[in-house]
């Protein structure tokens, strides 16, 4: 129940077992020496017009087929990434696979200092638990030998106050948690399009257009950040943003049938960098560009207010995101002209 049959291509190299559409049942029966009917096959997913089926049987005996542990599929790349994500997502929903969590230990010769820091972390972060059986994503494991935990040696920061120790420990937690979240993207089958731009550039409008015209659900990142604030210390801005990305990932994994999402909006350079590190090639940044005079005409605010908003956004690195963008949309003309630029971009990405 926790293994899957894969075709052995070479030593430690496997592939999905595939058959042509015609006479499919007979091909399966001849290959595996079993008798099946269509009711014993369940369609797992459809990818690039190829249907993938699950055949549950313990009598498979083809010589070039081997059992592979499901857990091995998460870290291995011996099959196509898109296929792998679909398979992992399917077995995740069957409760055969679990997402990775971050377990960490605090280490110190001074047990009193260690206990005070642990209590301080738990007090300020409701999303961190000291119960190893908790369903929370980040857990203080209390030196459980059965868990591969991140060890945080707080004695190397012994000259600092409790608040300083807390800051150092949370930075180490962040650096490890981003690896955990990145690994868990293996359960997501979606592509993410982040939209950004200066005030009144049109990013919100075109996020909604992606939703309306192409059925890309528009995920407002502010919602996930507000949810994360109940779980992570607001003073830990990087970890808070990363946790909000993790919540967004959970949403996408649950809604596995959605291929693409518009993320509104990427409001800082740091947030963009985190999205890129977590999702890699499955994340694309779209910068909506419009000159100041057009943005002023669109705005209900006075020009001085708009300029103040621009200054604030630039402090977060919004202007630098133009150089990072996978697509810069010239939004100085008509809506249809801007829509066409976006349509051509997502088309060349293989979505349409």
């Amino acid at each position: 129940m926790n293994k899957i049959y894969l075709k052995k291509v070479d030593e430690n190299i496997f592939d999905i077992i595939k058959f042509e559409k015609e006479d499919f049942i007979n091909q399966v029966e001849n290959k595996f020496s079993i008798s099946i009917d269509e009711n014993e096959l369940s369609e797992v997913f459809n990818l690039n017009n190829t249907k993938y089926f699950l055949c549950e049987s313990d009598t498979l005996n083809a010589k070039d087929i081997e059992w592979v542990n499901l857990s091995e599929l998460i870290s291995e790349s011996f099959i196509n990434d898109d296929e792998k994500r679909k398979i992992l997502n399917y077995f995740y929903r069957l409760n055969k696979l679990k997402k990775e969590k971050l377990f960490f230990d605090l280490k110190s010769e001074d047990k009193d200092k260690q206990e005070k820091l642990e209590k301080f972390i738990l007090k300020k972060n409701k999303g961190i638990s000291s119960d190893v059986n908790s369903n929370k994503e980040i857990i203080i494991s209390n030196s459980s030998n059965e868990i591969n935990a991140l060890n945080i040696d707080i004695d190397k920061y012994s000259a600092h106050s409790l608040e300083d120790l807390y800051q150092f420990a949370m930075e180490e937690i962040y650096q490890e948690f981003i690896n955990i979240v990145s690994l868990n993207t293996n359960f997501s089958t979606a592509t993410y399009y982040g939209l950004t731009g200066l005030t009144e550039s049109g990013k919100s409008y075109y996020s909604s257009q992606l939703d309306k015209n192409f059925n890309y659900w528009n995920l407002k990142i502010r919602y996930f950040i507000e949810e994360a604030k109940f779980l992570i210390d607001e003073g830990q801005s990087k970890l808070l943003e990363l946790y909000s990305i993790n919540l967004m990932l959970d949403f996408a994994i649950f809604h596995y049938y959605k291929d693409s999402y518009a993320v509104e909006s990427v409001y800082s350079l740091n947030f963009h960098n985190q999205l890129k590190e977590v999702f890699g090639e499955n994340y694309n940044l779209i910068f909506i560009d419009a000159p100041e005079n057009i943005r002023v005409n669109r705005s209900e605010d006075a020009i001085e207010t708009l300029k103040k908003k621009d200054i604030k956004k630039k402090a977060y690195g919004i202007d630098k995101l133009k150089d990072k963008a996978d697509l810069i949309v010239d939004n100085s003309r008509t809506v249809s002209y801007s829509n066409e630029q976006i349509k051509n971009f997502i088309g060349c990405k293989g979505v349409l």
Side-chain angles (χ1 to χ4, degrees):
M1 294 300 292
N2 292 303
K3 293 183 179 180
I4 184 172
Y5 263 121
L6 291 176
K7 181 178 181 181
K8 190 168 186 177
V9 178
D10 203 343
E11 189 66 28
N12 297 322
I13 299 177
F14 297 86
D15 199 359
I16 305 294
I17 303 163
K18 298 179 180 178
F19 298 98
E20 296 300 322
K21 181 178 179 182
E22 291 77 17
D23 201 24
F24 172 71
I25 296 295
N26 286 335
Q27 292 181 71
V28 174
E29 290 178 343
N30 292 334
K31 182 72 173 179
F32 299 133
S33 301
I34 57 175
S35 296
I36 59 173
D37 59 41
E38 292 186 8
N39 294 328
E40 294 176 297
L41 291 171
S42 56
E43 184 176 339
V44 179
F45 60 89
N46 190 315
L47 180 65
N48 297 329
N49 296 318
T50 299
K51 291 186 177 181
Y52 292 75
F53 292 90
L54 177 69
C55 176
E56 294 191 45
S57 174
D58 59 1
T59 61
L60 305 183
N61 58 9
K63 62 181 180 180
D64 59 344
I65 306 300
E66 287 194 12
W67 286 111
V68 175
N69 284 322
L70 286 175
S71 57
E72 293 179 19
L73 296 180
I74 298 175
S75 57
E76 298 295 339
S77 57
F78 45 65
I79 59 176
N80 175 279
D81 282 344
D82 290 334
E83 291 176 325
K84 180 175 75 170
R85 287 190 173 93
K86 293 282 189 177
I87 292 171
L88 292 175
N89 183 275
Y90 176 78
F91 284 106
Y92 174 83
R93 288 182 280 113
L94 289 185
N95 292 319
K96 298 299 179 185
L97 291 171
K98 300 293 182 183
K99 281 174 48 187
E100 290 290 322
K101 297 182 179 182
L102 171 58
F103 295 92
F104 72 94
D105 290 335
L106 299 174
K107 302 292 186 182
S108 176
E109 295 295 327
D110 186 340
K111 297 305 177 186
D112 181 60
K113 179 173 66 175
Q114 179 180 322
E115 290 176 3
K116 285 182 178 178
L117 179 57
E118 180 176 325
K119 290 179 180 178
F120 196 70
I121 291 174
L122 293 174
K123 179 181 178 181
K124 297 179 76 69
N125 298 272
K126 303 302 182 184
I128 298 179
S129 174
S130 59
D131 179 5
V132 293
N133 296 314
S134 169
N135 60 0
K136 293 179 180 177
E137 304 284 346
I138 305 176
I139 298 172
I140 300 177
S141 64
N142 294 316
S143 303
S144 172
N145 294 327
E146 299 178 1
I147 297 172
N148 184 20
L150 166 69
N151 289 315
I152 301 177
D153 181 8
I154 60 176
D155 285 341
K156 61 184 176 183
Y157 307 122
S158 59
H160 299 280
S161 66
L162 181 62
E163 180 63 37
D164 286 332
L165 288 173
Y166 172 67
Q167 297 297 335
F168 287 127
M170 294 302 284
E171 176 63 25
E172 291 196 38
I173 290 169
Y174 166 79
Q175 293 296 339
E176 186 63 23
F177 191 52
I178 198 167
N179 296 327
I180 297 292
V181 179
S182 298
L183 181 62
N184 285 330
T185 59
N186 279 304
F187 294 104
S188 172
T189 61
T191 300
Y192 304 82
Y193 293 89
L195 281 90
T196 190
L198 291 170
T199 308
E200 298 297 341
S201 62
K203 56 186 177 296
S204 295
Y205 175 78
Y206 289 103
S207 294
S208 66
Q209 286 291 293
L210 280 170
D211 191 325
K212 178 181 177 181
N213 295 334
F214 304 107
N215 199 25
Y216 290 15
W217 281 357
N218 183 11
L219 302 182
K220 296 182 182 294
I221 194 58
R222 180 54 57 186
Y223 166 79
F224 295 101
I225 288 177
E226 291 302 318
E227 287 294 303
K229 286 180 181 178
F230 290 106
L231 302 168
I232 299 298
D233 178 7
E234 289 189 44
Q236 301 298 314
S237 58
K238 289 198 302 182
L239 184 59
L240 177 69
E241 289 178 336
L242 179 58
Y243 207 95
S244 70
I245 292 172
N246 186 60
L247 292 174
M248 185 176 71
L249 175 61
D250 285 344
F251 181 90
I253 291 172
F254 182 78
H255 297 89
Y256 60 93
Y257 45 85
K258 296 300 295 183
D259 291 326
S260 301
Y261 293 97
V263 181
E264 180 198 345
S265 64
V266 180
Y267 59 87
S268 73
L269 178 60
N270 179 67
F271 188 63
H272 161 75
N273 289 338
Q274 291 192 77
L275 284 166
K276 193 63 180 177
E277 186 167 354
V278 168
F279 292 111
E281 293 183 355
N282 288 326
Y283 163 72
N284 298 278
L285 182 66
I286 299 175
F287 189 96
I288 309 297
D289 193 27
E292 185 179 272
N293 64 311
I294 290 179
R295 294 189 293 111
V296 168
N297 290 335
R298 292 174 180 161
S299 177
E300 296 179 356
D301 297 323
I303 185 171
E304 293 80 8
T305 302
L306 182 137
K307 287 184 175 182
K308 286 180 180 179
K309 289 181 178 179
D310 278 355
I311 291 172
K312 185 176 180 180
K313 288 179 180 292
K314 288 178 180 179
Y316 283 104
I318 290 293
D319 53 333
K320 297 177 182 177
L321 288 178
K322 191 172 182 179
D323 295 330
K324 302 281 187 179
D326 298 283
L327 171 68
I328 300 173
V329 176
D330 177 6
N331 194 29
S332 63
R333 294 162 62 179
T334 64
V335 169
S336 59
Y337 177 67
S338 297
N339 268 329
E340 193 65 23
Q341 295 172 69
I342 296 173
K343 178 182 177 181
N344 290 337
F345 174 71
I346 61 179
C348 76
K349 290 291 180 181
V351 177
L352 295 182

